[in-house]
Amino acid sequence: MTRALDSLKGLSYKARPFGAAVAALWMSVAAAEVVSGAQIPDGAQKVGENRYRAPGDFEKTLEYYKAVYPSGTFTRRSVVNQPGVKAVHIVNPSGKNFEGLNIYEANDEVRIYVVPLQSVPAPAKSTPAKPTKKSDPKGGKKSR
């Protein structure tokens, strides 16, 4: 006697929509380009130094970065929110390779700017001051 749970008759596997979406997002994350340690979405076009045009709209780009850089670890702050312009800054807490990312939408385009590390000039090495010889204010030599 076969129990219903032991038999695969009549059962077919159906992929879960959420699982498929997560798998698709993970695949797109895995194929992304890395610039100065920051991940750039697959399909982004370089438009300048550290500047990229995102392949999707503003919300899709933010969703991508929520998966890549979780908001619990990578703080976000709104930079601009005006009619026609939106911008968010994602802080890199490690401070390695890049300071953060600016994601902004203007003129119906979404751009990503990888904020490079601010190069801190090395402190100038100070040489010890050489003692100066004091001269007689009258201009003459000191007598003993």
Side-chain angles (χ1 to χ4, degrees):
M1 181 168 169
T2 309
R3 293 181 19 201
L5 293 176
D6 293 340
S7 174
L8 295 177
K9 288 183 184 177
L11 296 177
S12 63
Y13 175 74
K14 292 183 181 180
R16 304 275 186 224
F18 178 73
V22 169
L25 181 62
W26 181 253
M27 299 264 300
S28 67
V29 168
E33 181 180 353
V34 176
V35 176
S36 298
Q39 204 164 7
I40 305 297
D42 191 34
Q45 300 171 335
K46 186 170 185 167
V47 294
E49 185 176 356
N50 297 326
R51 296 181 189 277
Y52 295 84
R53 183 178 301 119
D57 65 1
F58 188 73
E59 296 305 320
K60 279 187 179 180
T61 304
L62 288 181
E63 191 175 301
Y64 170 82
Y65 279 110
K66 279 183 187 177
V68 175
Y69 299 121
S71 58
T73 308
F74 296 83
T75 58
R76 288 155 169 71
R77 61 178 185 254
S78 181
V79 178
V80 176
N81 195 358
Q82 298 176 351
V85 179
K86 298 178 197 173
V88 173
H89 177 75
I90 300 174
V91 178
N92 179 10
S94 72
K96 294 180 182 175
N97 301 324
F98 68 103
E99 273 192 36
L101 295 166
N102 287 343
I103 302 164
Y104 56 97
E105 178 183 49
N107 303 326
D108 298 324
E109 279 188 342
V110 178
R111 299 277 180 106
I112 301 163
Y113 176 61
V114 180
V115 182
L117 289 175
Q118 296 294 327
S119 58
V120 179
K125 293 183 179 179
S126 60
T127 56
K130 295 181 181 178
T132 56
K133 295 181 180 179
K134 291 186 180 180
S135 61
D136 188 12
K138 295 179 185 176
K141 292 185 178 180
K142 277 189 166 181
S143 58
R144 290 187 191 193

